[in-house]
Amino acid sequence: MKSLQELEQIKQKTLDSVSLRKDRAGGIRIVVGMGTCGIAAGARPVLMSFLEEVQKRNLRDVTITQTGCIGVCRLEPMVEVTRPGEEKVTYVKMTAEKAKRVISEHIVNGKIVNEYTIGAAE
Amino acid sequence: MEFYRSHVLICGGTGCHSSGSSDIREVFQTELKKNHLENEVLLVQTGCFGLCEVGPVVIVYPEGAFYSRITKEDVPRIVSEHLLKGRIVTDLLYHDSIHEDDAIKSLDEVNFYKKQKRLALRNCGVIDPEKIEEYIAFDGYKALGKVLTEMTPEETIELIKASGLRGRGGAGFPTGLKWDFTAKAKGDKKYVCCNADEGDPGAFMDRSVLEGDPHCVLEAMAIAGYAVGADQGYIYVRAEYPIAVKRLTIAIAQARQMGLLGKNIFGTNFSFDIELRLGAGAFVCGEETALLASIEGKRGEPRPRPSLPAVKGVFGKPTLLNNVETYANIPQIILNGPEWFRSIGTEKSKGTKVFALGRKIVNTGLVEVPMGTTLREIIYEIGGGIPGGKEFKAAQTGGPSGGCIPAEHLDTPIDYDSLSEIGSMMGSGGLIVMDNDNCMVDIARFFLDFTVDESCGKCPPCRIGTKRMLEILDRITKGQGEEGDIEKLETLGKNIKASALCGLGQTAPNPILSTIRYFREEYEAHIRDKKCPAGVCQALLQIVIQADLCRGCGLCVKVCPTVAISGERKSPYVIDQNKCIKCGACLEKCPFKAIVKG
Ligand SMILES: Cc1cc2nc3c(=O)[nH]c(=O)nc-3n(C[C@H](O)[C@H](O)[C@H](O)COP(=O)(O)O)c2cc1C
Ligand code: SF4
């Protein structure tokens, strides 16, 4: 160990992975509906795609969790995205490809992908 | 580092380990593989969460779901329901961790944790103790870096002095002052030692720190080394703590590899290394002169001490000795400043103290509270009270060196000074709760039995005196107590305290003196009336048949192994007390509940 900066680098590298264990209020939450209906409709690849993108882009402060059936089975796989201080956005009929776009536009740039949302579907 | 969407923290402390947590980890591994989740979900074996009573404990993040009493059979459900489908398995959650509407409370809201303040235990149950990176992520080794690059040794000592930190090993000596003595002692070579002997039966906080957060002790020792001018450290840990020894060994190797121990740490000319010394687990080896002798490879016997270890310690060189928990506080004091630390606790005792709650308490386990918390808060609010709604009788603090605290002092704010005022002591932090089913004479006998066993035998007051006291207590519990025994115990106790060579003997009479102080009438009942009010001392128990309830069925006669019961059928039977061995067989058999202990 040569310097405090070197220590800080190790800290930053590990911090993302351990910050999950602190009770956090802030941060972006991505919730994937993983009830039986969701899984049958292909929710797993969607979840995997989110994970891959978050890791690839080294995004901080993003929590990805799953939940049971969100309620509108015919629109599964469904995903809810909440950015701190903003309304929850619900995306429907998601795919792995769509997940990538949600990450790049909504998560990174804060622009909701309107065409995938539940409002657009109904 | 990889991104995992979920972390499963499995308690790997000794308590949960013995209730099967390592099997659980294995099943988790297989189940995750089976469900192809191994790249999404991280398994982390941590140190103790504190709630050993409901172990093995598993916490799943990001939800913070607190699963308790988990068995191997529960794991597939947690994996397929919670980790795969996102449905928390509510019926496996710790009962106090959910709101009425089934929503999960954050850990700070759970009663057990609400009043706690975790400083020494801050990383226990949060990080993987076998990964130095996780310690660093929670600001580990930053205090060492700060001290080495921005502060002088003198400033470091002044900072510790200003914090008001006192030794957590028992005596409560001001830590900064001890560092100052060692720094000012003349010598070309100095040592920094850590007392991890933890001999008090019923105490396990030091073990938990070493198992859950070994790096914080290493970091603190290096800081101490810089402050006092030492380049070598020893940790004296008992060999009966295999998990602690293993994690310390791993931690030392990792710290060396990263250059956080060894030569020229943080590019300065400060060098420091640490070695483990395994003790055979004798209580007396926790005493400082005995411990230092044992580190040198000599017999672990106390020495008369004209000079302090700070002047003449290991190998005759100036030596700093502190307890594990004392060290565990150091890095945060450096990072947050002495004012922050002084703001916690009471006027003369700053910071927090870890207690090991045991015996008659719902939540046995480890708790850390600010100094000045009352016994009532610890026992009823954090500890969950006494099982079966029984009444509190007394608590024993300080283990075999301490004393008991009766109900009248439940509201005393606990710190070093208030505890000695009421005839007990902080000690290392064992806290044993007793209810009305506990006999105070028997408790006193239990602790004295321990010290008589552990006395090294070097000096007569302790070797012979404590033995005499034990003989008297033995007689009293057997119904052979005599008038004047209590006074004899008091005189012997006072004399031993005044004349024993080391702390073991000097404090051995405390449990007896304090139980006499608060429960004299219980001693008198044993001696005068030959009765044990709590019904514990076997020899004083009488099992009697209540004539008015006995229907003379004769069932009891058949089960009595010593043929002590006699009588005519259809009329009340009687027990011959000389033949009765108090086995209680008749008591269980009687269909009319006519037989009672008294
Ligand atoms: C019989 C006896 C046993 C002791 N056992 C321990 C022990 O297990 N752990 C400990 O830290 N201190 C123990 N002590 C206290 C140590 O002698 C010493 O005071 C302490 O380690 C100093 O560290 P501190 O100033 O950080 O508390 C014991 C003392 C006596 C007399
Ligand atoms: S007081 Fe007891 S333990 Fe201490 S030196 Fe004397 S005999 Fe040994």
Side-chain angles (χ1 to χ4, degrees):
Chain A
M1 190 62 54
K2 287 283 158 266
S3 64
L4 273 172
Q5 285 84 330
E6 198 183 327
L7 189 74
E8 186 65 23
Q9 277 164 14
I10 301 175
K11 174 179 165 177
Q12 287 309 333
K13 244 167 72 189
T14 324
L15 199 57
D16 302 334
S17 78
V18 293
S19 61
L20 196 67
R21 292 177 216 160
K22 292 257 158 180
D23 287 315
R24 296 183 302 170
I28 303 172
R29 292 177 63 85
I30 303 175
V31 183
V32 184
M34 295 279 279
T36 308
C37 49
I39 293 180
R44 290 274 310 155
V46 175
L47 178 74
M48 297 308 291
S49 176
F50 274 119
L51 283 175
E52 251 166 56
E53 284 302 303
V54 166
Q55 187 159 344
K56 211 156 61 190
R57 293 163 179 267
N58 200 8
L59 297 179
R60 300 226 165 129
D61 244 15
V62 178
T63 321
I64 304 178
T65 56
Q66 350 79 300
T67 180
C69 176
I70 295 181
V72 199
C73 304
R74 72 189 157 85
L75 297 179
E76 293 279 3
M78 292 171 60
V79 173
E80 294 171 349
V81 174
T82 322
R83 292 175 59 92
E86 290 174 25
E87 284 278 302
K88 177 170 76 191
V89 178
T90 305
Y91 292 109
V92 299
K93 291 191 178 165
M94 289 294 287
T95 62
E97 281 310 303
K98 289 181 181 174
K100 282 188 193 157
R101 221 180 118 194
V102 169
I103 289 276
S104 65
E105 293 185 17
H106 192 176
I107 308 294
V108 178
N109 293 320
K111 255 180 51 208
I112 298 170
V113 190
N114 278 317
E115 54 196 283
Y116 300 162
T117 60
I118 190 160
E122 288 196 326
Chain B
M1 277 237 170
E2 306 265 324
F3 181 86
Y4 291 93
R5 67 174 164 84
S6 179
H7 290 196
V8 176
L9 274 59
I10 305 172
C11 177
T14 294
C16 286
H17 194 79
S18 48
S19 54
S21 69
S22 54
D23 286 353
I24 289 171
R25 183 190 164 113
E26 270 172 39
V27 184
F28 260 111
Q29 244 152 10
T30 7
E31 286 298 314
L32 287 180
K33 275 226 177 73
K34 223 192 267 172
N35 289 285
H36 308 290
L37 293 171
E38 70 267 29
N39 296 327
E40 296 164 47
V41 178
L42 180 69
L43 283 184
V44 187
Q45 186 124 344
T46 68
C48 181
F49 293 122
L51 245 179
C52 312
E53 177 63 25
V54 298
V57 170
V58 171
I59 301 187
V60 180
Y61 284 101
E63 295 90 349
F66 192 109
Y67 292 111
S68 63
R69 289 217 174 93
I70 293 306
T71 63
K72 281 192 287 187
E73 288 69 35
D74 296 327
V75 175
R77 256 174 86 207
I78 299 182
V79 173
S80 68
E81 285 296 301
H82 186 164
L83 295 173
L84 183 65
K85 295 183 188 156
R87 290 194 288 238
I88 291 172
V89 189
T90 331
D91 60 294
L92 294 178
L93 291 177
Y94 173 55
H95 65 85
D96 187 35
S97 71
I98 31 185
H99 289 291
E100 273 144 33
D101 60 355
D102 274 1
I104 295 197
K105 292 183 188 173
S106 78
L107 279 190
D108 316 336
E109 290 179 283
V110 173
N111 280 335
F112 181 74
Y113 293 104
K114 212 190 276 177
K115 286 225 160 176
Q116 292 200 48
K117 189 158 183 77
R118 288 164 78 93
L119 304 187
L121 298 176
R122 72 194 178 285
N123 285 334
C124 285
V126 178
I127 64 167
D128 182 337
E130 297 183 10
K131 292 205 177 113
I132 191 171
E133 293 85 1
E134 294 205 353
Y135 178 64
I136 292 175
F138 286 103
D139 285 332
Y141 289 104
K142 197 165 160 183
L144 177 62
K146 177 173 169 189
V147 165
L148 292 186
T149 56
E150 295 168 15
M151 292 166 71
T152 64
E154 294 73 33
E155 283 167 350
T156 312
I157 292 175
E158 282 312 312
L159 193 155
I160 298 300
K161 269 192 192 165
S163 75
L165 175 66
R166 293 169 66 174
R168 303 294 193 239
F173 192 83
T175 306
L177 210 55
K178 210 186 232 183
W179 289 26
D180 201 18
F181 288 156
T182 319
K184 291 201 174 117
K186 292 211 168 43
D188 45 345
K189 178 96 184 165
K190 294 181 186 176
Y191 295 96
V192 166
C193 296
C194 173
N195 191 341
D197 193 53
E198 200 161 54
D200 170 0
F204 55 96
M205 37 265 141
D206 293 348
R207 186 188 73 203
S208 297
V209 170
L210 296 175
E211 286 176 357
D213 196 13
H215 284 287
C216 80
V217 175
L218 306 186
E219 180 180 8
M221 286 177 73
I223 293 170
Y226 175 71
V228 305
D231 63 355
Q232 176 66 46
Y234 291 109
I235 301 178
Y236 188 85
V237 53
R238 48 176 50 216
E240 287 100 324
Y241 283 178
I243 302 179
V245 171
K246 178 181 151 220
R247 302 231 166 106
L248 275 173
T249 310
I250 294 174
I252 291 174
Q254 289 173 339
R256 281 186 188 146
Q257 210 202 348
M258 280 213 177
L260 289 160
L261 286 178
K263 297 234 171 307
N264 302 106
I265 303 171
F266 281 103
T268 65
N269 51 22
F270 174 68
S271 304
F272 190 77
D273 202 7
I274 295 176
E275 277 178 43
L276 295 186
R277 284 285 183 271
L278 299 196
F283 182 51
V284 73
C285 284
E287 192 278 332
E288 54 192 16
T289 57
L291 182 140
L292 299 176
S294 185
I295 288 181
E296 293 174 8
K298 297 192 188 129
R299 218 184 135 105
E301 268 183 1
R303 298 180 258 195
R305 43 173 201 185
S307 56
L308 291 168
V311 179
K312 213 166 160 232
V314 189
F315 305 113
K317 306 289 180 198
T319 301
L320 173 74
L321 177 68
N322 276 129
N323 161 265
V324 173
E325 193 185 326
T326 313
Y327 282 126
N329 281 294
I330 299 284
Q332 289 184 94
I333 295 178
I334 307 261
L335 290 179
N336 299 333
E339 297 76 22
W340 163 80
F341 194 72
R342 292 187 68 84
S343 71
I344 307 161
T346 61
E347 194 198 334
K348 290 202 179 124
S349 307
K350 301 300 180 192
T352 59
K353 179 76 194 87
V354 184
F355 290 99
L357 287 183
R359 283 261 182 118
K360 301 287 178 66
I361 183 105
V362 171
N363 297 328
T364 47
L366 214 56
V367 306
E368 181 171 358
V369 290
M371 297 274 189
T373 305
T374 66
L375 205 52
R376 188 186 299 281
E377 290 171 295
I378 297 178
I379 293 174
Y380 288 97
E381 294 180 36
I382 300 172
I386 295 168
K390 293 226 169 102
E391 206 177 314
F392 171 86
K393 182 171 184 181
Q396 169 89 16
T397 60
S401 312
C404 70
I405 308 171
E408 63 195 89
H409 291 305
L410 265 176
D411 291 309
T412 307
I414 295 184
D415 68 12
Y416 291 102
D417 311 292
S418 67
L419 282 182
S420 18
E421 251 162 57
I422 57 178
S424 186
M425 65 183 281
M426 184 71 84
S428 51
L431 207 168
I432 291 171
V433 182
M434 289 165 278
D435 66 11
N436 280 334
D437 293 342
N438 290 107
C439 165
M440 300 315 285
V441 185
D442 183 60
I443 292 287
R445 209 193 61 86
F446 166 81
F447 282 113
L448 196 62
D449 196 36
F450 177 84
T451 23
V452 167
D453 240 18
E454 294 288 335
S455 162
C456 80
K458 188 165 176 169
C459 68
C462 170
R463 183 181 67 235
I464 303 169
T466 56
K467 183 89 185 157
R468 288 292 97 83
M469 287 182 84
L470 184 62
E471 285 163 3
I472 299 177
L473 282 178
D474 259 338
R475 273 200 289 107
I476 296 178
T477 54
K478 291 210 175 94
Q480 296 152 3
E482 296 160 8
E483 235 16 89
D485 274 350
I486 301 182
E487 292 70 21
K488 253 190 230 163
L489 284 172
E490 287 177 324
T491 321
L492 265 169
K494 271 187 212 127
N495 291 342
I496 296 170
K497 280 176 77 126
S499 55
L501 173 61
C502 85
L504 189 147
Q506 288 158 9
T507 58
N510 287 351
I512 296 87
L513 297 178
S514 93
T515 44
I516 293 179
R517 173 170 168 188
Y518 292 113
F519 297 95
R520 199 180 186 101
E521 68 295 343
E522 216 167 309
Y523 279 82
E524 286 167 352
H526 282 76
I527 297 170
R528 291 188 193 144
D529 317 335
K530 310 292 175 210
K531 282 227 158 73
C532 174
V536 172
C537 299
Q538 285 283 331
L540 296 181
L541 272 185
Q542 287 210 344
I543 296 189
V544 286
I545 301 177
Q546 292 170 296
D548 51 330
L549 293 177
C550 177
R551 307 263 190 97
C553 71
L555 276 177
C556 53
V557 178
K558 293 203 188 107
V559 295
C560 176
T562 56
V563 208
I565 308 180
S566 59
E568 295 283 318
R569 267 184 154 278
K570 302 226 159 107
S571 58
Y573 281 74
V574 282
I575 301 177
D576 178 349
Q577 295 301 334
N578 290 324
K579 285 192 195 160
C580 171
I581 55 161
K582 283 100 185 172
C583 68
C586 55
L587 204 140
E588 279 164 34
K589 198 74 192 178
C590 178
F592 310 110
K593 302 211 185 326
I595 308 181
V596 289
K597 266 190 201 175

